[in-house]
Amino acid sequence: MSSITDEVNTKRILVLHGPNLNLLGTREPEIYGTLTLNEINETLKTRAKELGADEINFLQSNFEGELVEAIQKARGRYDFILLNAAALTHYSVALRDAIAAIPVPVIEIHLSNIHKREEFRHNSVIAPVVMGQICGFGLDSYIAALEIAIRKLVRS
Ligand code: DQA
């Protein structure tokens, strides 16, 4: 039975991982932890189900253009993007422009606290065009972003 309070918004999430995140598990574990990318994705999949997401899909790419295309194609296809742009965060104007070009909200994620690290990591060129940034909490950065995205979609 349907009622006026039924949720009508779709909750389709796209998770994008940038360069070198395919190496998680063995890559600088003292900074990024020991979880593999697959383990992170599986945890997000489980949490997304618990939160009632309609869909969650994942893409990791070492190529800027592939991520730009994924962002462009997200228009009308996804309701939220969770993006760990990795090193591209710090210099990719192309990624920033792609985010600014679409109406899909983006949450910027980092496993490590980029503000506590080398100076070149302190600046995010995508920060001014995303909804917000979560960094420094490892896997929990991703989980928090997912929870916020679902909450926003349910409320909107
Ligand atoms: C990162 C931080 C970036 O500075 C770095 O280039 C990465 C990972 C993070 O998740 O902490 O590759 O985005």
Side-chain angles (χ1 to χ4, degrees):
M1 203 173 69
S2 66
S3 82
I4 201 155
T5 54
D6 280 353
E7 288 168 24
V8 287
N9 293 324
T10 54
K11 299 188 278 298
R12 301 163 300 176
I13 311 291
L14 176 62
V15 183
L16 295 176
H17 306 283
N20 300 307
L21 293 173
N22 54 314
L23 301 180
L24 285 178
T26 56
R27 175 193 182 201
E28 299 180 274
E30 65 289 355
I31 296 173
Y32 299 116
T34 52
L35 289 177
T36 64
L37 191 62
N38 196 41
E39 287 168 335
I40 290 175
N41 288 346
E42 285 304 314
T43 304
L44 290 175
K45 225 185 261 180
T46 304
R47 189 73 188 118
K49 213 178 217 176
E50 288 167 0
L51 293 169
D54 298 300
E55 205 180 335
I56 185 163
N57 290 313
F58 304 90
L59 172 74
Q60 187 278 327
S61 180
N62 293 324
F63 300 97
E64 181 181 33
E66 198 174 352
L67 292 163
V68 167
E69 273 186 3
I71 291 167
Q72 289 179 7
K73 287 183 188 152
R75 176 197 284 268
R77 171 72 183 82
Y78 289 100
D79 304 302
F80 245 96
I81 297 174
L82 312 185
L83 170 66
N84 185 346
L88 294 170
T89 306
H90 312 298
Y91 67 88
S92 177
V93 176
L95 217 52
R96 174 196 164 118
D97 287 352
I99 295 166
I102 60 160
V104 184
V106 175
I107 300 179
E108 175 183 349
I109 296 166
H110 302 284
L111 292 156
S112 64
N113 183 347
I114 56 173
H115 305 288
K116 274 209 316 213
R117 299 182 61 195
E118 304 95 321
E119 203 164 335
F120 69 88
R121 294 186 204 275
H122 296 180
N123 186 48
S124 163
V125 300
I126 65 172
V129 293
V130 298
M131 182 174 263
Q133 181 192 75
I134 303 175
C135 73
F137 300 101
L139 171 66
D140 285 340
S141 293
Y142 283 93
I143 294 175
L146 175 63
E147 291 177 351
I148 290 165
I150 299 291
R151 205 172 304 148
K152 294 265 174 217
L153 290 169
V154 168
R155 282 191 196 146
S156 64

